[in-house]
Amino acid sequence: MNDLKNDDSGQHKHLFDSGIDSLQFSSTHARPGKMTNCKHYTRGCSSKAPCCGEFFACRRCHDQATLVGASQCEDEMVAKLVEVIMCNTCGSEQEPRAFCNNCGVSFAKYFCGVCNLWEDAEKGIFHCNDCGTCRVGGRENYVHCHTCRACIFKSHFADHQCARGKLERNCAVCLEFLHTSPEQLYNPPCGHVLHKKCYVQLQTQSSSGFRCPSCSQSFSDMSVFNKMMDAQIASTPQPPTLVNMAVMISCNDCKRRSVVKHHFLGNKCGHCGGYNGHILEGPVPAELAPQLAVKLGEHGG
């Protein structure tokens, strides 16, 4: 699923980064005769939004215009409900179709009459009947998982983390609905899917970017990092007030609890040896560690 993409046929508004201006969306206030030039698709027609009756290059352009206050409409545009399109070559209004019924121009190389989706660029778009939406990346490269209710990249299907309706939730970073998102997705070991771009953003802009924002489990093997932490802790003396202290911690990776020697740089899990955990109790003097161990036993640690 690391390369899974959805295409634009959904019922949920696309959320965007700050700094959006009116140049980032396109409506057909421009005169017919011009090819639609939005940043999302290349197509030769524009769609009449069923919610407000205005023509837009695509539903994402409509939702962006709504987001920045350039449209009076307060609703999200549902592409599947579009009943009228306009040819950008001759201006003829008609029902959704692949070719203009007036001038005969082709609106795009790909057309889906279920999703009302047009795209002239080669993206390997295909409609998945089980997903109920269009996907990007080539039908031959995916297998539909009926438990996840999503198309999974073939090379990841055998060992993917299967979870019921795993895409029927919002990205934990940008809050966009995943099932109909046109963005590439990243499927971490914990199964909490994110947009690939949001995953990259976490890696580069957050000190905690190595772990899932939903459950805090590490995204990948942390063995090299753990060895670096071991060496750093061994060479870093603690302040006198923290020497010979103990803590009870809960590990976000192995999901177990342990009582360990405390260090201000990090606390090593007594089971998996990782440093991705949080303190439950302490620090307390080392001689009180047996009391923490008793509590640990009460919690089934």
Side-chain angles (χ1 to χ4, degrees):
M1 180 179 292
N2 297 49
D3 300 307
L4 170 64
K5 289 185 182 180
N6 311 326
D7 219 293
D8 180 28
S9 58
Q11 301 179 16
H12 297 264
K13 178 166 57 178
H14 185 84
L15 302 181
F16 303 87
D17 297 332
S18 59
I20 297 174
D21 57 42
S22 59
L23 296 179
Q24 291 182 291
F25 61 86
S26 174
S27 75
T28 53
H29 295 305
R31 295 291 180 265
K34 295 183 178 180
M35 189 71 171
T36 297
N37 187 28
C38 73
K39 70 173 186 176
H40 311 113
Y41 301 98
T42 301
R43 52 177 63 164
C45 63
S46 300
S47 300
K48 187 175 184 178
C51 46
C52 62
E54 292 188 59
F55 282 95
F56 286 87
C58 71
R59 67 106 177 169
R60 296 174 68 192
C61 284
H62 169 278
D63 292 348
Q64 281 189 336
T66 299
L67 189 65
V68 300
S71 170
Q72 297 299 315
C73 185
E74 298 180 354
D75 297 319
E76 300 170 356
M77 178 176 167
V78 182
K80 289 183 178 181
L81 299 182
V82 169
E83 296 180 346
V84 178
I85 63 172
M86 183 181 76
C87 175
N88 290 349
T89 299
C90 68
S92 174
E93 296 185 18
Q94 55 205 279
E95 64 183 16
R97 60 180 66 236
F99 298 86
C100 177
N101 65 0
N102 183 53
C103 68
V105 68
S106 172
F107 295 136
K109 295 176 182 177
Y110 177 85
F111 167 63
C112 176
V114 176
C115 299
N116 285 333
L117 175 65
W118 296 262
E119 176 57 274
D120 203 55
E122 295 290 348
K123 297 180 179 179
I125 304 177
F126 65 98
H127 182 86
C128 175
N129 290 326
D130 292 314
C131 287
T133 191
C134 289
R135 302 296 192 193
V136 172
R139 187 187 302 275
E140 68 280 4
N141 297 318
Y142 292 92
V143 178
H144 184 85
C145 175
H146 292 279
T147 300
C148 294
R149 293 198 285 270
C151 288
I152 310 296
F153 206 55
K154 280 185 177 179
S155 61
H156 301 291
F157 189 84
D159 58 356
H160 81 280
Q161 188 77 19
C162 202
R164 185 168 298 279
K166 69 191 307 176
L167 296 188
E168 295 172 6
R169 54 185 290 272
N170 294 339
C171 171
V173 178
C174 71
L175 304 182
E176 182 187 2
F177 190 65
L178 292 169
H179 185 73
T180 53
S181 170
E183 302 294 340
Q184 186 174 355
L185 303 179
Y186 170 71
N187 184 30
C190 63
H192 293 123
V193 180
L194 302 169
H195 289 120
K196 185 67 175 290
K197 66 178 183 180
C198 293
Y199 165 72
V200 172
Q201 179 181 328
L202 283 176
Q203 296 282 294
T204 57
Q205 298 181 11
S206 173
S207 59
S208 59
F210 66 93
R211 60 190 182 189
C212 172
S214 295
C215 68
S216 295
Q217 182 176 328
S218 297
F219 283 132
S220 57
D221 181 11
M222 299 295 291
S223 56
V224 174
F225 173 81
N226 293 338
K227 290 180 180 179
M228 292 174 58
M229 285 294 294
D230 288 342
Q232 189 171 2
I233 287 175
S235 62
T236 306
Q238 296 210 82
T241 55
L242 294 180
V243 175
N244 295 323
M245 303 293 278
V247 291
M248 182 196 296
I249 65 170
S250 178
C251 180
N252 296 319
D253 290 336
C254 71
K255 312 302 181 186
R256 301 178 68 182
R257 300 180 179 190
S258 55
V259 175
V260 299
K261 183 178 180 180
H262 175 60
H263 196 285
F264 72 90
L265 289 180
N267 298 293
K268 184 173 183 175
C269 175
H271 300 289
C272 69
Y275 286 89
N276 180 24
H278 56 277
I279 296 175
L280 296 176
E281 290 198 38
V284 299
E287 57 267 24
L288 298 180
Q291 296 181 21
L292 291 182
V294 170
K295 292 184 178 181
L296 178 65
E298 293 174 350
H299 291 289

